[in-house]
Amino acid sequence: MAFDVISIVYISIFVLSVLVGLKRGSLNPLVSFIKGLGSFVAAVFLCKRLATLLTNSSLGAKMAVKMSDYFLAKGGVFTATVTNESKDLLLSNALEEINIPEFLHEFLSSLIVIPNEGSVNMANVLGISIAYYIFLGISFILLFLLGLIVMFLISKVFAVIEQIPFVGVINKVLGALVSGA
């Protein structure tokens, strides 16, 4: 059986992976992987709830009022009362008024939330929606960073557990097996 250059490269990569796995163990790479992925997934699932909570808070109300006042000062379409029947046309006109490119109108229309209760003007609709999406971005970033901090603390606990002699040996053997696979 003759070895060509590609076979030697594959065998070298395999041996190198096993040696790195033996040194690092299985807990470190696993915790590193879960740290980023877990923080991202948690932030995605929780950011809408936090954004809704913040939008409904007094801070969210103040932000929505500031946005609404800005649009009301422009007058025109922003003062019109929005109904389910008129929402698409009014929203399209409002987006044109603030110079949003037309190819984005349909996408942005799907993001705008029209409240069900009472009469509301376009300025209020845009103010509440913009405040919500600002809080959504802030919520995602905060939750992602919080997740990374929590996962960092968990990794420190695993580092202490890894120092136990029996666990350390098993961790290194599993690391070699997983890295070589």
Side-chain angles (χ1 to χ4, degrees):
M1 177 165 89
F3 288 107
D4 59 352
V5 175
I6 294 177
S7 297
I8 293 172
V9 168
Y10 281 146
I11 291 170
S12 300
I13 291 173
F14 175 78
V15 169
L16 186 62
S17 296
V18 169
L19 292 174
V20 168
L22 191 58
K23 181 172 179 355
R24 289 186 73 197
S26 64
L27 286 178
N28 285 340
L30 182 65
V31 170
S32 294
F33 175 72
I34 291 173
K35 191 185 317 183
L37 183 64
S39 298
F40 180 78
V41 169
V44 166
F45 282 113
L46 296 174
C47 70
K48 287 183 180 178
R49 291 182 181 149
L50 183 57
T52 302
L53 185 70
L54 291 172
T55 303
N56 293 334
S57 71
S58 62
L59 179 63
K62 288 177 186 176
M63 183 183 286
V65 166
K66 289 277 189 192
M67 301 274 183
S68 297
D69 289 346
Y70 170 79
F71 290 118
L72 281 173
K74 289 184 169 284
V77 70
F78 299 107
T79 60
T81 301
V82 179
T83 63
N84 281 330
E85 296 80 28
S86 68
K87 105 177 166 163
D88 292 331
L89 178 63
L90 286 174
L91 190 54
S92 180
N93 292 340
L95 293 174
E96 280 180 25
E97 186 85 21
I98 55 177
N99 299 321
I100 300 292
E102 194 167 326
F103 71 90
L104 290 174
H105 287 201
E106 187 176 330
F107 172 70
L108 292 174
S109 294
S110 67
L111 298 178
I112 302 296
V113 179
I114 308 288
N116 289 333
E117 68 275 347
S119 65
V120 62
N121 59 36
M122 184 52 71
N124 291 345
V125 169
L126 290 174
I128 291 168
S129 296
I130 291 171
Y132 173 77
Y133 287 107
I134 288 172
F135 282 127
L136 187 65
I138 291 170
S139 298
F140 177 82
I141 291 168
L142 288 176
L143 289 169
F144 182 71
L145 292 175
L146 181 65
L148 287 176
I149 291 169
V150 168
M151 296 308 273
F152 173 77
L153 294 174
I154 290 172
S155 71
K156 291 300 178 190
V157 170
F158 277 120
V160 170
I161 291 172
E162 204 173 63
Q163 299 304 317
I164 300 170
F166 180 71
V167 175
V169 170
I170 291 175
N171 178 38
K172 295 201 182 297
V173 169
L174 285 174
L177 293 173
V178 170
S179 294

